[in-house]
Amino acid sequence: EAGVAQSPRYKIIEKRQSVAFWCNPISGHATLYWYQQILGQGPKLLIQFQNNGVVDDSQLPKDRFSAERLKGVDSTLKIQPAKLEDSAVYLCASSPPGQGALSTRLFFGEGSRLTVL
Amino acid sequence: GQQLNQSPQSMFIQEGEDVSMNCTSSSIFNTWLWYKQDPGEGPVLLIALYKAGELTSNGRLTAQFGITRKDSFLNISASIPSDVGIYFCAGHTISGKLIFGQGTTLQVKP
């Protein structure tokens, strides 16, 4: 079974530029998450999708961050304009459908490492 | 907001030793998950816990869901060099949000 795919793996940009990250979840997984992981910290949820609807975006800095999952499968996360403090690894995760215990298990991609200069 | 306090922050042990790390919170959690993250990789799920008091093993790993639902621990027995990495606890809040601890960095000396 293919895992969560993310691209690009690495991106270096200057502040005020824009960047976009792409994620393709595990086939059949209805829920998709974007997490931000700053060096030395645990992942922090940015946004959670259920199919193509937003479940939680309370910690997404909406003045500069946006995310979409138009067809309920893959997703993009955009930052515009980027700030120095946005330097982090952006992790995408997905979880199986349903209400049972398995639906609480998140499977992560390898992440996209962003460096803002 | 809800926070998970994970300790210790880092550990440096000898190969063969046992390891214990824990997570605590002032809030109640519905599930506890333990992840391991290797450099340059995403977190990988090790153990999932769903009931207060539940004790679950996965090979040399053992984890428990605290009775109060506010804490969890992870034990690794007979550590080996490939156990090196960062271990994260994570818990689902009552509202369904998954929150991560700050991580425990484990280094194993051969």
Side-chain angles (χ1 to χ4, degrees):
Chain A
E1 178 183 83
V4 176
Q6 290 190 246
S7 67
R9 286 296 309 275
Y10 306 93
K11 189 73 176 180
I12 300 174
I13 62 173
E14 295 188 349
K15 60 183 179 183
R16 291 189 288 275
Q17 286 187 324
S18 63
V19 64
F21 303 111
W22 174 82
C23 172
N24 192 29
I26 293 173
S27 178
H29 281 197
T31 309
L32 184 148
Y33 314 76
W34 283 102
Y35 279 83
Q36 180 193 57
Q37 186 177 24
I38 293 172
L39 186 64
Q41 298 182 18
K44 184 186 84 171
L45 180 67
L46 292 175
I47 189 167
Q48 176 181 342
F49 291 95
Q50 179 77 20
N51 296 310
N52 60 350
V54 175
V55 174
D56 184 349
D57 63 356
S58 58
Q59 297 190 88
L60 186 74
K62 298 179 185 65
D63 58 333
R64 299 182 301 106
F65 286 65
S66 64
E68 59 183 16
R69 193 185 185 199
L70 293 176
K71 296 182 180 179
V73 180
D74 57 347
S75 175
T76 55
L77 175 71
K78 297 179 182 178
I79 308 174
Q80 181 179 13
K83 292 185 175 181
L84 296 177
E85 58 261 37
D86 297 333
S87 293
V89 175
Y90 291 86
L91 294 164
C92 180
S94 67
S95 60
Q99 300 294 322
L102 288 179
S103 68
T104 64
R105 301 186 177 195
L106 274 64
F107 295 84
F108 285 86
E110 294 179 312
S112 295
R113 181 177 296 276
L114 174 65
T115 302
V116 182
L117 303 176
Chain B
Q2 290 153 313
Q3 284 188 314
L4 291 180
N5 300 307
Q6 189 170 348
S7 65
Q9 190 173 12
S10 62
M11 304 179 74
F12 191 89
I13 63 171
Q14 195 80 27
E15 181 177 2
E17 289 184 348
D18 296 343
V19 171
S20 184
M21 59 192 79
N22 68 80
C23 239
T24 61
S25 176
S26 58
S27 302
I28 289 174
F29 286 81
N30 283 339
T31 66
W32 286 96
L33 307 173
W34 284 92
Y35 284 86
K36 183 189 178 203
Q37 187 173 28
D38 292 327
E41 303 292 328
V44 174
L45 183 64
L46 299 174
I47 290 181
L49 302 159
Y50 299 103
K51 296 180 183 178
E54 179 181 355
L55 184 71
T56 296
S57 293
N58 178 10
R60 294 178 296 106
L61 277 60
T62 302
Q64 185 160 30
F65 193 141
I67 284 290
T68 64
R69 296 172 61 193
K70 295 181 179 181
D71 63 329
S72 176
F73 72 74
L74 174 71
N75 288 341
I76 305 173
S77 63
S79 58
I80 58 179
S82 62
D83 290 334
V84 165
I86 304 176
Y87 292 80
F88 290 99
C89 63
H92 278 95
T93 67
I94 291 176
S95 63
K97 182 178 292 187
L98 184 64
I99 296 175
F100 281 79
Q102 307 97 313
T104 294
T105 300
L106 177 63
Q107 296 180 331
V108 180
K109 184 178 180 181

